[in-house]
Amino acid sequence: QVQLVESGGGLVQAGGSLTLSCAASGKTFSINHFGWYRQGPGNQRELVAVISRRDLTNYADAVKGRFTISVDNASNTVYLQMNSLKPEDTAAYYCNAVSLSDRYWGQGTQVTVSS
């Protein structure tokens, strides 16, 4: 099993920045890649960004150029640096870790962007 704990959410004005963190523990050796997803009010959960252990990344079009995902493999912590935040970025953000056989989720952290 893998446990994921997110932190760093909060309230920020449009144009501001936040950095989310996700600390993984347990069988972290089994994780192939990490991701951040979000779910806004009335919306389905959607992919924000993913990163492999070899730092290969992929981003949703809506966040390209504004968000940066990174991973510290030594501490098994994945980050999401969010710049130029917009009200439409308001959502619960979830950390995700994927192994060959399982997918794990954190409890989520709320990000609210005021206009």
Side-chain angles (χ1 to χ4, degrees):
Q1 291 290 324
V2 172
Q3 295 78 42
L4 302 171
V5 179
E6 302 106 330
S7 61
L11 174 64
V12 64
Q13 288 188 333
S17 298
L18 279 175
T19 299
L20 305 183
S21 300
C22 173
S25 61
K27 295 183 177 180
T28 56
F29 61 86
S30 68
I31 299 171
N32 294 324
H33 63 269
F34 292 94
W36 284 99
Y37 288 72
R38 68 186 181 186
Q39 187 167 12
N43 296 332
Q44 291 186 332
R45 192 171 296 188
E46 61 179 7
L47 173 70
V48 176
V50 294
I51 186 167
S52 73
R53 288 289 199 179
R54 297 183 178 182
D55 288 341
L56 296 175
T57 60
N58 192 28
Y59 295 90
D61 288 343
V63 306
K64 281 181 182 177
R66 301 189 297 122
F67 291 11
T68 301
I69 189 170
S70 60
V71 62
D72 181 342
N73 287 313
S75 65
N76 290 295
T77 303
V78 60
Y79 302 94
L80 185 68
Q81 173 68 44
M82 305 184 293
N83 298 326
S84 303
L85 282 161
K86 305 175 181 180
E88 51 264 43
D89 294 318
T90 294
Y93 284 71
Y94 296 90
C95 180
N96 170 259
V98 179
S99 68
L100 286 176
S101 58
D102 292 292
R103 180 183 292 267
Y104 305 94
W105 294 96
Q107 82 285 357
T109 186
Q110 180 66 34
V111 172
T112 302
V113 185
S114 63
S115 57

